[in-house]
Amino acid sequence: EARELLAVLNGLAKRDDIDPKRFGIWGTDLGAYAAVSVAENDPRIRALVVASVYNDPREMLLIQANQSGLGVIPLVKPLCRLEFYLLNYQNRFVPPLSARISRLQDDAKLFIESIDAPELSASTRKLFQLAPPPKFERSDRSSYVKMTDEDKRGYESDIVNFFLRNLPENDLP
């Protein structure tokens, strides 16, 4: 997902109607992991919103197995770890976000925790604590997909306002 996100940013940067030096990105779950992964190495990212972020993608399959009830079946968790390792062998040495989050020095960061996802809420809180300022946190009753339409509109409005407040003025002539 990080490579796909970077490709999208590179494509957007070629447009005449977009400032190629200032982007804000927003990701949820594994998309949030990808957003942090791109932001840590791309100076064009100036504002970042992450909701229910995985500290390490290897956690994803284990959390999914537990949520589905399959985690109690013998060998499911070890097989999940093995499958993830085999499918992502080229990334086996990539450290978790907690070891890399300090690279986001000047980016404005908003960390959103969903109370109904305790594993991801804990991961998001840990990353918030480790992140350098400027940083902000927010806690919601439920994840975006479980919100009412009215709650989604308020949530989206808050995200847009965060970007409007934290992206610097247009650097284009």
Side-chain angles (χ1 to χ4, degrees):
E1 284 193 19
R3 286 187 286 275
E4 292 171 7
L5 178 56
L6 187 57
V8 168
L9 292 174
N10 289 335
L12 288 172
K14 294 176 185 174
R15 293 179 49 162
D16 293 336
D17 60 334
I18 293 178
D19 182 347
K21 296 178 186 167
R22 60 183 199 115
F23 286 106
I25 54 176
W26 166 24
T28 301
D29 302 335
L30 194 56
Y33 177 89
V36 173
S37 295
V38 170
E40 73 177 308
N41 295 310
D42 195 325
R44 300 174 299 179
I45 309 298
R46 308 289 273 287
L48 175 67
V49 176
V50 293
S52 301
V53 62
Y54 290 96
N55 180 42
D56 190 324
R58 289 172 275 241
E59 298 169 356
M60 180 184 63
L61 286 176
L62 299 176
I63 290 171
Q64 296 289 332
N66 286 337
Q67 288 175 346
S68 70
L70 295 174
V72 297
I73 299 172
L75 298 178
V76 165
K77 289 181 183 180
L79 288 174
C80 284
R81 284 187 194 98
L82 177 62
E83 179 181 357
F84 188 89
Y85 178 80
L86 293 173
L87 291 174
N88 295 283
Y89 184 76
Q90 73 277 11
N91 298 318
R92 68 192 174 282
F93 298 121
V94 175
L97 290 181
S98 58
R100 306 176 351 230
I101 196 80
S102 63
R103 296 180 191 169
L104 300 176
Q105 290 295 319
D106 298 323
D107 303 333
K109 297 163 284 297
L110 173 60
F111 294 82
I112 303 173
E113 301 173 34
S114 297
I115 295 170
D116 67 343
E119 298 98 339
L120 293 179
S121 181
S123 175
T124 304
R125 180 171 294 129
K126 177 182 178 182
L127 291 171
F128 169 78
Q129 292 167 345
L130 293 170
K135 62 183 178 179
F136 309 91
E137 78 177 318
R138 170 186 167 139
S139 183
D140 288 324
R141 293 184 314 259
S142 66
S143 61
Y144 183 80
V145 294
K146 296 178 183 175
M147 288 181 184
T148 65
D149 287 343
E150 183 177 336
D151 287 341
K152 285 180 182 179
R153 281 190 293 279
Y155 178 90
E156 291 164 357
S157 177
D158 289 348
I159 301 297
V160 169
N161 286 325
F162 173 81
F163 286 131
L164 291 173
R165 283 190 313 271
N166 291 288
L167 284 171
E169 291 296 318
N170 193 332
D171 296 331
L172 290 177

